[in-house]
Amino acid sequence: MAPHITTPPFHDLEQQARRLQRFFVALVVIVALLPAVVFVFLEIGHHRNHSRQAAGRLAESLIGHVGRSGPNRVTISEMVQAEMGANDIVFLRLVAADAGHSLSFGAPGQRVFPTQISVSLPPAAAPFLELQVQGDDRDLLRRVSRVFVIHLLVASALALIVYRLPMRALRLALDEGKRTYEELLHADKLSAIGEVYAGLTHEINNPLGVILSRVRLLRGTAAERGLPADLAEDLEMIDRHGSRIAEIIRGLLAFARKTTFELTETDLNRVVADTISFLETPFAKQGVRLNILLESIPPLRASPDHLQQVLVNLFNNARDAMPNGGTLTIRTRLNDRDLVVEVQDTGPGIAPEIQGRIFDPFFTTKPVGHGTGMGLAVSYGIVRAHGGDIEVESSPGQGALFRVRLAAGGGRP
Ligand code: ADP
């Protein structure tokens, strides 16, 4: 039995991808904003230097004034006001040993940046010990915010690119992986079912073969044995129902890939055309238009009869899906090294919740007597036995598309 796939690995991968995505976006934002932060620090330093120089000049003038006329409040005030205006200083404080003699000019206000400067004064400036100045930082604020906004815009644009491009590729790869994983799971499930049926059908096949051959022998010799008519009728009924069981078993064996095929060089377009030729009339009667697009494709090694069986199943399902007419499109093409046959109808489509079950043996939505649920299961077995695969694409109301892929030239018995 094929090894079973049980660990769903995608949840972790998705989380890792999301973490990686967040990490790269954060990295880009940091790298893009870093120059702005450096700029802010440089500008603050520059601003403080400017204020320090102004404070130095002020301290010298102050010492001159105090030396000439003592700490005269009026002359100091005039001098300080003039210097403050000339140097963009918004607040100035002369700190005296006795707090009562300290002088303040201007208003400290709410400043965004820490730009206050303190200068110790020499004894010649007594009674003042220290000079504190605070420069006007509005200009600094304007410059810094402009640079920040520009960098923020650049950072957002880069973050968006990083988020969209590589991560989109990663997401696509993950989605593709997820799809493959689900297909594998499905194939795994079908192969497990196949193993069960293979055992069962083997057990039924042999006794059934004996029963049918005896019944047919009896039917063939009914007249010479003088069997009554009602018994002959019963034999005919046993033969009919037994043959039906044998047919189902053949289907199950094909599904379980226990049938051996004789592979010959096969022209797939020929098989398609032959199949269409004998289904054309019933399709036309039902108002189903055929749209046949056969590209030139190389031959493959296959069992033409079995491929025909697959096509008959697909065509009949499409016809059943379009009881009031529609269009059946049949395409063949070469895709890389694969031969592809697509069978597409304009019927009601297949609901997503049953798409994973339509290849299961005995799954049918058709009324009793109309469907056995074996058509797609058998087709699946045949295509897989040729080393190919079969998939469905459909959304409700949009019709259904069955795609069969077979290896060009290849195929395994
Ligand atoms: P059956 O035809 O006997 O029901 P199949 O294995 O061929 O068995 O199909 C299984 C089920 O898949 C169908 O009963 C139907 O619900 C669905 N199905 C298959 N082909 C189509 C289609 N072309 N459009 C809509 N449903 C489909």
Side-chain angles (χ1 to χ4, degrees):
M1 192 178 283
H4 284 233
I5 304 146
T6 46
T7 342
F10 289 98
H11 187 62
D12 274 6
L13 270 180
E14 254 175 36
Q15 275 193 346
Q16 276 178 26
R18 231 171 276 138
R19 244 178 271 140
L20 209 64
Q21 195 171 21
R22 281 200 290 270
F23 170 75
F24 277 121
V25 168
L27 194 71
V28 161
V29 171
I30 290 171
V31 169
L33 285 185
L34 207 62
V37 175
V38 172
F39 176 81
V40 172
F41 277 103
L42 289 177
E43 281 293 294
I44 292 175
H46 183 70
H47 187 79
R48 285 173 68 90
N49 257 348
H50 183 72
S51 302
R52 192 170 287 119
Q53 282 164 8
R57 278 196 300 277
L58 244 163
E60 271 172 29
S61 316
L62 190 75
I63 293 162
H65 271 279
V66 174
R68 273 200 302 280
S69 51
N72 181 319
R73 192 188 160 90
V74 179
T75 45
I76 288 176
S77 170
E78 279 170 4
M79 179 213 71
V80 164
Q81 307 275 357
E83 287 287 342
M84 280 175 75
N87 289 293
D88 262 358
I89 290 168
V90 288
F91 175 65
L92 186 146
R93 185 172 165 77
L94 284 166
V95 185
D98 173 3
H101 288 108
S102 293
L103 298 176
S104 296
F105 303 91
Q110 285 283 317
R111 297 291 131 193
V112 177
F113 298 108
T115 53
Q116 184 165 308
I117 298 292
S118 297
V119 177
S120 301
L121 296 172
F128 304 116
L129 303 175
E130 191 187 338
L131 170 70
Q132 293 173 353
V133 295
Q134 193 176 317
D136 187 354
D137 67 354
R138 273 173 307 183
D139 203 33
L140 171 67
L141 188 63
R142 256 196 305 275
R143 273 201 311 279
V144 163
S145 12
R146 202 178 309 134
V147 169
F148 237 95
V149 167
I150 291 171
H151 277 79
L152 207 63
L153 286 178
V154 172
S156 316
L158 286 177
L160 203 71
I161 292 171
V162 166
Y163 184 84
R164 282 281 171 99
L165 290 181
M167 293 305 151
R168 197 163 165 265
L170 196 66
R171 180 130 290 289
L172 285 179
L174 265 179
D175 286 350
E176 178 64 28
K178 215 184 217 166
R179 239 191 330 270
T180 313
Y181 174 74
E182 274 160 13
E183 276 165 16
L184 275 177
L185 263 191
H186 189 234
D188 190 52
K189 181 188 94 179
L190 291 185
S191 132
I193 300 176
E195 291 293 331
V196 173
Y197 282 127
L200 206 66
T201 47
H202 185 73
E203 293 301 318
I204 298 172
N205 215 13
N206 294 342
L208 183 68
V210 176
I211 293 170
L212 280 178
S213 63
R214 285 301 158 97
V215 167
R216 281 168 195 162
L217 190 71
L218 273 177
R219 284 188 67 199
T221 56
E224 48 186 91
R225 288 175 191 237
L227 288 184
D230 57 340
L231 201 60
E233 255 173 47
D234 285 348
L235 283 177
E236 193 269 329
M237 198 178 72
I238 294 173
D239 189 0
R240 198 154 27 90
H241 285 278
S243 303
R244 182 150 163 67
I245 295 174
E247 195 183 312
I248 291 175
I249 283 179
R250 263 198 304 281
L252 283 174
L253 287 173
F255 168 72
R257 283 182 273 153
K258 300 293 176 195
T259 323
T260 42
F261 297 150
E262 219 171 280
L263 302 183
T264 53
E265 181 124 313
T266 304
D267 174 359
L268 187 60
N269 280 346
R270 170 95 264 134
V271 179
V272 173
D274 286 351
T275 317
I276 291 169
S277 71
F278 71 82
L279 288 179
E280 231 162 8
T281 316
F283 274 80
K285 272 192 190 148
Q286 203 172 291
V288 175
R289 207 175 68 82
L290 295 181
N291 181 23
I292 303 157
L293 308 160
L294 307 183
E295 276 184 18
S296 154
I297 46 175
L300 80 160
R301 284 194 63 71
S303 162
D305 290 347
H306 286 95
L307 288 190
Q308 186 160 63
Q309 195 181 342
V310 172
L311 292 171
V312 168
N313 289 336
L314 296 181
F315 292 174
N316 280 338
N317 277 342
R319 192 177 55 154
D320 288 347
M322 299 184 285
N324 302 316
T327 304
L328 174 66
T329 304
I330 302 145
R331 285 185 211 93
T332 58
R333 63 188 153 84
L334 181 67
N335 182 14
D336 204 2
R337 288 188 44 84
D338 286 341
L339 297 187
V340 181
V341 189
E342 285 177 348
V343 178
Q344 185 171 20
D345 62 60
T346 53
I350 305 170
E353 58 275 18
I354 66 162
Q355 278 181 25
R357 296 170 61 201
I358 57 174
F359 294 99
D360 294 358
F362 304 114
F363 177 83
T364 181
T365 55
K366 295 175 189 170
V368 181
H370 282 85
T372 56
M374 283 305 293
L376 288 179
V378 170
S379 305
Y380 173 86
I382 293 174
V383 173
R384 298 290 290 180
H386 279 79
D389 65 44
I390 178 168
E391 62 184 14
V392 63
E393 265 177 33
S394 176
S395 35
Q398 304 291 310
L401 186 153
F402 284 86
R403 185 177 296 117
V404 176
R405 272 200 202 91
L406 298 160
R412 62 186 164 75

